[in-house]
Amino acid sequence: MRNTRVAGRWAVGATACAWLAAAGPACADGRGAALASISSPGNVLTVELTIELGRPSYRVLRFGEELIGRSRLGFDLRGARPLDHGFELERQTSHSVDETWEQPWGERRYVRNHYTELAARFTETSGERRFYEVVFRVYDDGVGFRYEIPAQPALADVVIDDELTEFAVVPVATAWWVPAGQPDAPNDLEILIHKSPLAELGTAHTPLTILTERGVHVAIHEAALVDYAAMRLARVDGQLLRAALAPDAAGWKVRRTTPFTTPWRTMQIADSAGQLYGSDLILNLNEPNKVGDVSWVRPGKFIGIWWDLHLENWSWAAGPRHGATTEHAKRYIDFAAKNGFSGVLVEGWNLGWEGEWFGHGESFSFTRPYPDFDLAAVAAYARAKGVHLIGHHETGGGVGHYEEELGAALDLYQRLGVDTVKTGYVAAARGITHTDAEGRVQLEWHDGQYMANHYLRVVTEAAKRHISIDSHEPIKDTGLRRTYPNWLTREGARGMEYNAWGQPVNPPEHETNLVFTRMLAGPFDFTPGIFALERTRACCRVKSTLAKQLALYVVLYSPLQMAADRIESYEANPAPFQFIKDVPTDWSETLVLNGEIGEYVTIVRRDRRSDDWYLGSISNEQGRLLAVSLGFLEPGRRYNAQIYRDGPHARWDTAPTDIEIEQREVGSSDTLPLRLAAGGGAAIRFVALPRAPGAARPR
Amino acid sequence: MRNTRVAGRWAVGATACAWLAAAGPACADGRGAALASISSPGNVLTVELTIELGRPSYRVLRFGEELIGRSRLGFDLRGARPLDHGFELERQTSHSVDETWEQPWGERRYVRNHYTELAARFTETSGERRFYEVVFRVYDDGVGFRYEIPAQPALADVVIDDELTEFAVVPVATAWWVPAGQPDAPNDLEILIHKSPLAELGTAHTPLTILTERGVHVAIHEAALVDYAAMRLARVDGQLLRAALAPDAAGWKVRRTTPFTTPWRTMQIADSAGQLYGSDLILNLNEPNKVGDVSWVRPGKFIGIWWDLHLENWSWAAGPRHGATTEHAKRYIDFAAKNGFSGVLVEGWNLGWEGEWFGHGESFSFTRPYPDFDLAAVAAYARAKGVHLIGHHETGGGVGHYEEELGAALDLYQRLGVDTVKTGYVAAARGITHTDAEGRVQLEWHDGQYMANHYLRVVTEAAKRHISIDSHEPIKDTGLRRTYPNWLTREGARGMEYNAWGQPVNPPEHETNLVFTRMLAGPFDFTPGIFALERTRACCRVKSTLAKQLALYVVLYSPLQMAADRIESYEANPAPFQFIKDVPTDWSETLVLNGEIGEYVTIVRRDRRSDDWYLGSISNEQGRLLAVSLGFLEPGRRYNAQIYRDGPHARWDTAPTDIEIEQREVGSSDTLPLRLAAGGGAAIRFVALPRAPGAARPR
């Protein structure tokens, strides 16, 4: 074993055992030796490929220790022999890449893409000699691999009944996960994050985050989910996980024509929770921008006719309490213009909200407003004030109906200057409806191949009209924002709204879980910023301090951030509201200063349009005293730190709105204590002061 | 409960229940309400005092949550009623202190001492109305308290049979601990650090480090152990611990005359392992320097006739392989002078090493050298080369005998210019011998009151002669170096020597345990720097990479550091040896950049005599990829980073000496990846380059 490991590290593109003829049985290790192996650029991770009795498999070593043990590769196909045994390694090639690319918007401006790649072709040893490739990209902080099925006579139209990819986690681990595969669960990505031994995992959505007993943090996910079913993870036995693709209504999992590639199966791997969040693996494995010029894609902040709906002060449907009236909208536009928000969302503006629309979206019109909402006038009023109306398309899961109206609906918004649309798919997990060619109503999962294509179709249709998309009840994020930068943000986990309705409300640990699970996938339109934290409805409250609400603007990344509370709450609290007015949503740099999954986290980000930095730090239900070095600030420069922190009596349960606001001049050599109350947080704006005369920006 | 907590935070010197008359039963909480409470300056920790059925007790809350539950105070006395029940709170006073003091040498130059203090006087309600005070000092990062027994008619000569102080740890915790109280265990502070649930603790030495399920790090220890028995901790039940004082040969624990004070019972409390190590609580609770001018106390580095003894190449006793010869000593002095070491240790120079001296120290002479060692000539040779001979007094536990010769022994060294003496007490835990007034041989523990006084007597006798002490097989460190700065360093845990003998050798995790346990007490003469790591003796090896050996010079603080290997090893490896030559042993600043108990740790320290910084990072048997921000460097200044890191093949077991040395220019805004191999480490010297012309040191 030991010899195999050591040699394997360097045996890029070579057969480890060939190097080790002298090792004899030690190399064979009783299970078949590595046919190919490759190590990451800094020699941290190694992937080995093996064929045992004709079955291809891979494993992942970290510093020579097995992290992912021998794990199968392959597919079960409909009407054909499984693509998993009877194979040999026909050829392998490897190379390395080290490049840096620029994001139009994001957590950081420049992203380094530094990996070694191993492409292996597996070919059947007999019969039709079908073949496929597996391409591994090995980074110091993770691994991605995908199948590439070339065009070939015996594999033309392919129906995948199951993908057989396994992840055999070796060290005993704890998992943070969201259950998947319950067809009647409403919006199943919004189930509270479970924590359990990995060996007690049910079927889970990804990212699935695990922490091994030895302190290694691993997130299993996928990148570039295009024209394929989402990969859920099913536990086969012990800690052995297998891909469980979301089914199509037709019964299969995926139907494709060769040549095609699968999404990347990914493992982000780090020694600390903070490094895990810092990984760019998912973006790096997506294709570059295919939209072209995206200067029209604009990150920003918005308010909207929204929280009053969830509080049941107003209604989505028409009536005496209708929220989306022209008058209300203008009041929100005025407030947005006055306070520097770029957008105003108006939900419930269009016909069809009466009755049971949840899961029955055919009632909605996407072009006709209620009589008390003058869409054209409101859009024009907004434009005149320099504010953008944010469009809203709730489908209720009626995707067939929505696709029929999609073109006209987007055309309307384009004409009115509405350049961002929030979409919605409120329905059971397998509650998406469309009508097939024979006129039969089909029930689809949110995360099957059909919907993967639908969500992306909306994005590409919108792109043609220079409209950006904020998908709610979406398919999970797999980094497609790199390829389609107008896919600005999405929901896809439990957001603030649960703190209005309950069932139950989000616990204080929720956001500290999100950072290291859902947020690994990409931006989340969580809608933070509730100031009226107590008794949101009779059932409910927001289990957070006010300072933590501010911190969420930095901690939970979204290029489009909502100030979710009613404007009355902000008017009544101008001092803390100032932070929401100031905080940007587009960043040139992001660093995690500390954190543990579900416990606490401190993130700093540098504004894309200035030299200012912002810090957000949050805790779960436990108070903390953290100390953060300000070494991220520009050396030699002074900053005005505007600190919003929990007051001396603050606790989420007894005194959530106790907040202290302080200004202080600081520099990069300072260390700040951060005292986070139970359920609390801290938010800091570091305003860069002018450099001393003659001082250049240090190297 | 909730109300009591919130009020308690601010009820400094007041009765919480008086504030809360309206709270009624909620305040009484069923167990007796707090009579007095005080919170730390930043309102992180709160101590509450209670009397229940006449029994005084305390508890500690953190952010309002109970960390140490109701815990008893008091004493069992010989020939008197216990001093633990029948008491009332007679008076209480409180005040706060915020001061900064300067260390003559240490991990940092300036130490902030910021606390609130509550002094409570408990008086018996009847009978002799005996009374005592308990003084609590409450910091944001810990609590110290001690008993003060004033002079009073009914308490004059006091014999303490037991101290009843309890520590009722509330959250479920894991403990790292060294077993105590086994009389025949040789050098019992040198037992390997155990890790277990706190609920499975046996009797333990302090510091006892625990980590709660909620991630709170706590170390229970004591400060200023003077004329008292050391406090061990015995588990009474569950997670309830009680002070277990080391017994005196006479059967009691402590004998004192009023007025007297006990040592401080301490709890260092932090959210991270790094913050725990950063605590200055122990030093702050010790008295300021009582020695006066200590400019003659000199931190430094030494080599010595030592490792060859442990390897059995040479012998301590006279004979053909005698190590301590004039010739050997001169060779070491030459090497020290050439390579900038200030000291040379020579063990086995004096008569008495023949036969079974372990636990039988009466054979030793402390003034008469072996014939082949010309002490005066060697001392003079050293002086002429600018090197100091480091004296050596092995007592074998024969303390009565040593005390008889102590004055003459120290006088001799003073005459010869020997200004540092390494003492030794190799004997069973209860193997210290002295003869009482009646001529009976008494067996004492290393950590009883008798030896607490002995160790300090040696230090004060040495101070009179401007000699510093490095105690081996010592009593544990309780911060007395603040009061007696010539008590430079000590052993008191498993050092390098075990890697020569085995029984067994230290595991790769050992030093990552030490940082967060033994090192909380103070400096440790661990003797790092072994380069010949494999097969030290037939049994044994050093389970470390070479880069890790270098890192230990920064990680394991001692003002007196040994380069422990044979000079032949250094001559054969000049490139890595350069780091040992460069690294200082006295610091103006110390920061922990990351770390987990028993897993890994990265520490940076700034040289006391220059602007250079040094970094040490070590891992246990697991490889790691860490990223460290260099924000600790002076903003705007450039540094030449001399990096000593594990080579690509390095592992402690298969390739321990694979090392890479690189130089790179860096600044405070850089982030360095640290790749630590299994059992590996990294050491970096950051040489400050001249500031740009006209550049001032930034604020």
Side-chain angles (χ1 to χ4, degrees):
Chain A
M1 274 293 279
R2 182 172 297 161
N3 287 331
T4 308
R5 261 193 245 129
V6 172
R9 274 189 209 154
W10 294 103
V12 177
T15 299
C17 268
W19 286 32
L20 287 167
C27 178
D29 89 343
R31 297 182 62 190
L35 291 171
S37 80
I38 190 164
S39 292
S40 63
N43 204 24
V44 174
L45 295 173
T46 300
V47 170
E48 292 185 359
L49 297 183
T50 311
I51 295 184
E52 191 186 5
L53 302 175
R55 292 183 186 275
S57 65
Y58 75 97
R59 64 176 191 146
V60 179
L61 311 177
R62 188 166 196 264
F63 288 102
E65 306 293 331
E66 200 171 47
L67 180 64
I68 305 293
R70 209 66 51 97
S71 300
R72 281 175 75 183
L73 297 166
F75 301 90
D76 275 343
L77 302 181
R78 186 162 294 190
R81 283 202 305 119
L83 213 57
D84 75 328
H85 65 280
F87 283 86
E88 64 183 1
L89 179 66
E90 183 189 331
R91 69 175 190 219
Q92 53 173 301
T93 58
S94 64
H95 69 282
S96 66
V97 169
D98 188 359
E99 64 183 12
T100 296
W101 56 278
E102 183 176 358
Q103 298 201 80
W105 50 267
E107 297 98 325
R108 54 183 59 82
R109 182 161 181 177
Y110 297 104
V111 178
R112 186 177 181 191
N113 186 28
H114 188 197
Y115 63 87
T116 53
E117 178 176 302
L118 173 67
R121 172 170 290 196
F122 294 107
T123 304
E124 283 179 317
T125 52
S126 61
E128 295 168 311
R129 291 194 61 83
R130 298 174 304 171
F131 57 94
Y132 67 93
E133 302 222 335
V134 185
V135 177
F136 280 85
R137 291 193 181 162
V138 188
Y139 297 73
D140 283 340
D141 66 354
V143 174
F145 65 94
R146 70 175 181 187
Y147 301 91
E148 301 185 359
I149 320 287
Q152 52 194 290
L155 283 172
D157 288 319
V158 176
V159 174
I160 297 175
D161 272 337
D162 275 307
E163 182 182 317
L164 304 175
T165 307
E166 290 177 346
F167 303 87
V169 180
V170 174
V172 173
T174 300
W176 285 260
W177 57 288
V178 172
Q182 300 165 30
D184 300 325
N187 310 318
D188 73 334
L189 286 175
E190 298 175 10
I191 295 174
L192 270 177
I193 296 157
H194 290 37
K195 178 183 178 184
S196 78
L198 178 58
E200 294 171 14
L201 191 85
T203 299
H205 284 295
T206 73
L208 165 68
T209 299
I210 68 174
L211 173 58
T212 76
E213 276 189 340
R214 307 302 307 275
V216 181
H217 298 67
V218 182
I220 304 178
H221 188 43
E222 61 183 307
L225 168 50
V226 176
D227 199 7
Y228 204 84
M231 179 181 75
R232 306 162 184 165
L233 292 170
R235 195 171 58 83
V236 179
D237 183 41
Q239 294 192 149
L240 174 61
L241 312 180
R242 186 174 295 155
L245 300 184
D248 188 272
W252 60 63
K253 301 291 169 45
V254 171
R255 180 163 198 165
R256 293 291 293 272
T257 302
T258 58
F260 72 93
T261 61
T262 69
W264 294 91
R265 281 65 190 91
T266 61
M267 288 164 272
Q268 291 158 281
I269 304 169
D271 284 293
S272 68
Q275 288 171 300
L276 190 73
Y277 179 75
S279 161
D280 291 312
L281 183 75
I282 303 299
L283 285 176
N284 273 326
L285 291 172
N286 273 271
E287 297 294 315
N289 177 1
K290 289 184 177 172
V291 174
D293 170 51
V294 288
S295 57
W296 47 270
V297 176
R298 272 186 285 269
K301 281 176 297 190
F302 67 103
I303 55 171
I305 293 174
W306 186 78
W307 192 237
D308 265 322
L309 300 167
H310 289 281
L311 297 181
E312 295 187 334
N313 298 325
W314 290 346
S315 66
W316 276 274
R321 296 186 296 109
H322 187 214
T325 65
T326 300
E327 180 200 340
H328 289 160
K330 287 186 173 174
R331 192 153 68 84
Y332 270 77
I333 290 165
D334 289 344
F335 185 83
K338 184 177 158 199
N339 291 288
F341 289 85
S342 57
V344 171
L345 168 72
V346 181
E347 294 203 0
W349 66 274
N350 56 324
L351 296 180
W353 289 86
E354 289 72 25
E356 282 295 319
W357 55 267
F358 180 111
H360 305 273
E362 297 76 10
S363 59
F364 287 120
S365 166
F366 297 95
T367 52
R368 291 153 59 207
Y370 280 119
D372 57 352
F373 185 73
D374 186 339
L375 174 61
V378 169
Y381 187 80
R383 272 200 313 277
K385 296 248 175 181
V387 174
H388 293 250
L389 202 59
I390 292 184
H392 188 238
H393 288 168
E394 175 55 53
T395 68
V399 163
H401 170 63
Y402 180 44
E403 292 210 354
E404 286 167 14
E405 294 209 7
L406 181 62
L410 292 173
D411 288 344
L412 171 65
Y413 276 145
Q414 184 184 23
R415 280 199 306 278
L416 295 171
V418 173
D419 59 3
T420 305
V421 175
K422 173 177 171 179
T423 60
Y425 298 83
V426 174
R430 195 184 59 189
I432 300 289
T433 57
H434 66 102
T435 308
D436 69 10
E438 284 80 46
R440 288 175 308 219
V441 173
Q442 300 288 343
L443 267 184
E444 301 285 355
W445 293 84
H446 280 70
D447 57 347
Q449 184 182 10
Y450 178 90
M451 284 303 287
N453 288 332
H454 167 76
Y455 286 109
L456 192 52
R457 185 175 307 126
V458 172
V459 168
T460 53
E461 286 299 315
K464 292 175 189 166
R465 296 162 177 89
H466 288 198
I467 290 174
S468 297
I469 296 295
D470 170 8
S471 316
H472 278 237
E473 301 81 33
I475 199 165
K476 68 186 175 186
D477 196 342
T478 58
L480 286 168
R481 59 176 158 141
R482 180 178 179 189
T483 314
Y484 305 96
N486 68 316
W487 203 344
L488 264 185
T489 188
R490 75 184 77 198
E491 199 179 34
R494 265 182 164 241
M496 180 65 77
E497 57 193 10
Y498 281 82
N499 297 323
W501 328 319
Q503 316 168 12
V505 302
N506 299 325
E509 77 198 42
H510 182 54
E511 297 87 352
T512 57
N513 278 329
L514 284 175
V515 172
F516 304 108
T517 55
R518 164 64 181 84
M519 302 309 294
L520 300 176
F524 179 13
D525 186 21
F526 177 84
T527 68
I530 299 300
F531 282 16
L533 296 155
E534 297 178 89
R535 201 175 163 83
T536 48
R537 268 163 46 181
C539 54
C540 297
R541 68 182 299 156
V542 187
K543 294 185 168 178
S544 163
T545 67
L546 183 48
K548 182 173 177 176
Q549 288 296 306
L550 302 181
L552 294 179
Y553 284 88
V554 184
V555 169
L556 299 179
Y557 170 65
S558 180
L560 201 63
Q561 284 279 27
M562 188 175 197
D565 207 342
R566 307 164 65 227
I567 58 180
E568 291 83 350
S569 292
Y570 297 134
E571 286 170 340
N573 295 282
F577 182 55
Q578 185 62 44
F579 185 81
I580 299 181
K581 290 168 65 174
D582 293 334
V583 69
T585 64
D586 194 16
W587 310 100
S588 53
E589 226 171 311
T590 286
L591 299 167
V592 186
L593 301 188
N594 57 45
E596 295 291 344
I597 307 169
E599 299 289 330
Y600 64 97
V601 62
T602 306
I603 297 179
V604 290
R605 306 190 196 264
R606 184 154 62 89
D607 182 13
R608 185 81 173 246
R609 287 173 197 166
S610 75
D611 292 336
D612 298 351
W613 283 83
Y614 290 79
L615 176 149
S617 184
I618 60 170
S619 184
N620 60 6
E621 67 277 22
Q622 193 173 358
R624 317 257 171 191
L625 182 64
L626 309 176
V628 296
S629 156
L630 305 186
F632 55 87
L633 297 175
E634 184 183 316
R637 195 156 185 188
R638 305 298 294 170
Y639 293 78
N640 175 28
Q642 301 167 359
I643 303 169
Y644 301 75
R645 63 169 168 237
D646 292 323
H649 297 81
R651 287 180 63 90
W652 70 266
D653 49 359
T654 55
T657 56
D658 183 17
I659 191 167
E660 284 181 345
I661 303 174
E662 183 206 353
Q663 301 213 10
R664 188 191 300 187
E665 198 181 309
V666 299
S668 71
S669 56
D670 290 320
T671 293
L672 275 191
L674 290 182
R675 181 188 174 281
L676 312 179
I684 307 178
R685 179 188 187 199
F686 298 94
V687 180
L689 301 176
R691 294 191 185 91
R697 187 182 165 91
R699 277 176 290 177
Chain B
M1 275 293 278
R2 181 172 298 165
N3 287 331
T4 307
R5 259 194 247 131
V6 172
R9 275 190 210 153
W10 296 104
V12 177
T15 300
C17 269
W19 285 32
L20 287 167
C27 178
D29 90 345
R31 297 181 62 189
L35 291 170
S37 80
I38 190 164
S39 292
S40 64
N43 203 26
V44 174
L45 295 172
T46 301
V47 169
E48 292 184 0
L49 297 183
T50 312
I51 295 183
E52 190 185 4
L53 303 175
R55 292 184 186 275
S57 66
Y58 76 97
R59 63 176 191 146
V60 179
L61 310 177
R62 188 164 196 265
F63 289 102
E65 307 292 332
E66 200 171 46
L67 180 64
I68 304 293
R70 208 66 51 97
S71 299
R72 283 175 75 181
L73 297 166
F75 301 90
D76 275 344
L77 303 181
R78 186 161 294 191
R81 282 200 307 117
L83 214 57
D84 75 329
H85 65 280
F87 283 86
E88 64 183 1
L89 180 65
E90 183 188 331
R91 70 173 189 219
Q92 52 173 300
T93 58
S94 64
H95 70 282
S96 66
V97 168
D98 188 359
E99 64 184 12
T100 296
W101 56 278
E102 184 176 356
Q103 298 201 79
W105 50 266
E107 298 97 323
R108 54 183 59 82
R109 182 162 182 176
Y110 297 105
V111 177
R112 186 177 181 190
N113 186 27
H114 189 197
Y115 63 87
T116 53
E117 179 176 300
L118 173 68
R121 172 170 288 196
F122 294 108
T123 304
E124 283 179 316
T125 51
S126 62
E128 295 166 312
R129 291 193 59 81
R130 298 175 305 171
F131 57 93
Y132 68 93
E133 301 219 335
V134 185
V135 177
F136 279 86
R137 290 190 181 164
V138 188
Y139 297 73
D140 282 340
D141 67 355
V143 173
F145 65 94
R146 70 175 181 188
Y147 300 90
E148 301 185 359
I149 320 287
Q152 54 196 290
L155 283 172
D157 288 320
V158 176
V159 174
I160 297 174
D161 271 337
D162 275 309
E163 181 181 317
L164 304 174
T165 307
E166 290 178 347
F167 303 86
V169 179
V170 174
V172 173
T174 300
W176 285 260
W177 57 288
V178 172
Q182 301 166 30
D184 300 324
N187 310 318
D188 72 335
L189 287 175
E190 297 175 12
I191 295 174
L192 269 178
I193 295 159
H194 289 38
K195 178 182 178 184
S196 78
L198 178 58
E200 295 172 13
L201 191 85
T203 300
H205 285 296
T206 73
L208 165 69
T209 300
I210 67 175
L211 172 59
T212 75
E213 276 189 340
R214 308 301 307 275
V216 181
H217 298 67
V218 182
I220 306 179
H221 188 44
E222 61 184 307
L225 169 50
V226 176
D227 199 8
Y228 204 85
M231 179 179 76
R232 307 162 184 167
L233 293 170
R235 196 171 58 82
V236 179
D237 184 41
Q239 294 193 149
L240 174 61
L241 312 180
R242 186 175 295 157
L245 300 182
D248 189 272
W252 60 64
K253 303 291 169 46
V254 172
R255 180 164 199 165
R256 293 291 293 271
T257 303
T258 60
F260 72 92
T261 61
T262 69
W264 294 92
R265 281 65 190 93
T266 61
M267 287 163 272
Q268 291 158 282
I269 305 169
D271 284 293
S272 68
Q275 288 171 301
L276 191 73
Y277 179 76
S279 161
D280 291 312
L281 183 76
I282 304 299
L283 285 175
N284 273 326
L285 291 172
N286 273 273
E287 298 293 315
N289 176 1
K290 288 184 176 170
V291 174
D293 169 51
V294 288
S295 57
W296 47 270
V297 175
R298 272 186 285 269
K301 281 175 297 191
F302 67 103
I303 55 171
I305 294 173
W306 185 78
W307 192 237
D308 265 322
L309 299 168
H310 289 281
L311 297 181
E312 296 188 331
N313 297 325
W314 289 347
S315 67
W316 275 275
R321 295 186 298 111
H322 188 214
T325 66
T326 301
E327 180 201 341
H328 289 160
K330 287 185 172 174
R331 190 152 69 84
Y332 270 77
I333 290 164
D334 290 343
F335 185 84
K338 184 177 158 200
N339 291 288
F341 289 84
S342 58
V344 170
L345 168 72
V346 181
E347 294 203 1
W349 66 275
N350 57 324
L351 298 180
W353 288 86
E354 289 70 27
E356 282 296 315
W357 56 266
F358 180 111
H360 306 272
E362 297 78 7
S363 60
F364 286 120
S365 166
F366 297 95
T367 52
R368 291 153 58 208
Y370 281 119
D372 56 354
F373 184 74
D374 186 338
L375 174 61
V378 169
Y381 186 80
R383 271 200 313 279
K385 296 250 175 182
V387 173
H388 293 249
L389 203 58
I390 293 183
H392 187 240
H393 288 168
E394 175 54 54
T395 69
V399 163
H401 169 64
Y402 180 44
E403 291 208 353
E404 287 167 12
E405 295 209 7
L406 180 62
L410 292 173
D411 287 345
L412 170 65
Y413 275 145
Q414 184 183 20
R415 279 199 306 277
L416 295 172
V418 173
D419 59 3
T420 305
V421 175
K422 173 177 171 179
T423 61
Y425 298 83
V426 174
R430 195 184 59 189
I432 300 289
T433 57
H434 66 101
T435 308
D436 69 10
E438 284 81 45
R440 288 174 306 216
V441 172
Q442 300 287 344
L443 268 183
E444 301 284 357
W445 293 84
H446 279 71
D447 56 347
Q449 183 182 11
Y450 178 90
M451 283 302 288
N453 288 332
H454 166 77
Y455 286 108
L456 192 52
R457 184 176 306 124
V458 172
V459 168
T460 53
E461 286 300 314
K464 292 175 189 168
R465 296 163 178 88
H466 288 196
I467 291 173
S468 297
I469 295 296
D470 169 8
S471 315
H472 279 236
E473 301 81 36
I475 197 165
K476 68 185 173 187
D477 196 341
T478 58
L480 286 167
R481 60 177 157 141
R482 180 178 179 189
T483 314
Y484 305 96
N486 68 315
W487 203 343
L488 264 185
T489 188
R490 76 184 75 198
E491 198 179 34
R494 261 180 169 245
M496 181 64 77
E497 58 192 11
Y498 281 81
N499 297 323
W501 328 319
Q503 314 169 14
V505 301
N506 299 325
E509 78 198 42
H510 182 56
E511 297 87 353
T512 56
N513 279 329
L514 284 175
V515 172
F516 303 108
T517 54
R518 163 66 181 82
M519 301 310 295
L520 301 175
F524 178 15
D525 186 19
F526 177 84
T527 68
I530 300 301
F531 281 16
L533 296 156
E534 297 178 270
R535 200 177 164 84
T536 48
R537 266 161 51 181
C539 54
C540 297
R541 66 182 299 155
V542 187
K543 293 184 169 180
S544 164
T545 66
L546 183 49
K548 181 173 178 176
Q549 288 297 305
L550 302 182
L552 294 178
Y553 285 87
V554 184
V555 169
L556 299 179
Y557 170 66
S558 180
L560 201 64
Q561 285 278 28
M562 188 174 197
D565 208 342
R566 307 163 67 226
I567 58 180
E568 291 83 350
S569 292
Y570 298 133
E571 285 170 339
N573 295 281
F577 183 56
Q578 187 61 44
F579 184 82
I580 300 181
K581 290 168 64 174
D582 293 334
V583 67
T585 64
D586 194 15
W587 310 100
S588 53
E589 226 172 310
T590 286
L591 299 167
V592 186
L593 301 189
N594 57 44
E596 295 291 344
I597 307 170
E599 299 289 331
Y600 65 98
V601 62
T602 306
I603 297 179
V604 290
R605 307 188 196 264
R606 183 153 63 89
D607 182 15
R608 185 81 173 246
R609 287 173 196 167
S610 75
D611 293 335
D612 298 350
W613 283 84
Y614 290 79
L615 176 149
S617 184
I618 61 171
S619 184
N620 59 7
E621 66 277 23
Q622 193 172 357
R624 317 253 172 194
L625 182 64
L626 309 175
V628 298
S629 156
L630 305 186
F632 55 86
L633 297 174
E634 183 183 317
R637 195 155 184 188
R638 305 298 294 171
Y639 292 78
N640 174 27
Q642 301 166 359
I643 303 169
Y644 301 75
R645 64 170 167 236
D646 292 323
H649 296 81
R651 288 182 61 92
W652 71 266
D653 48 0
T654 55
T657 57
D658 182 17
I659 191 167
E660 284 181 346
I661 304 174
E662 182 205 354
Q663 301 213 12
R664 189 191 299 188
E665 196 181 310
V666 299
S668 71
S669 56
D670 291 319
T671 294
L672 275 191
L674 290 182
R675 182 187 174 282
L676 312 179
I684 307 178
R685 179 189 188 198
F686 298 95
V687 180
L689 301 177
R691 294 191 186 90
R697 187 184 164 90
R699 277 175 290 178

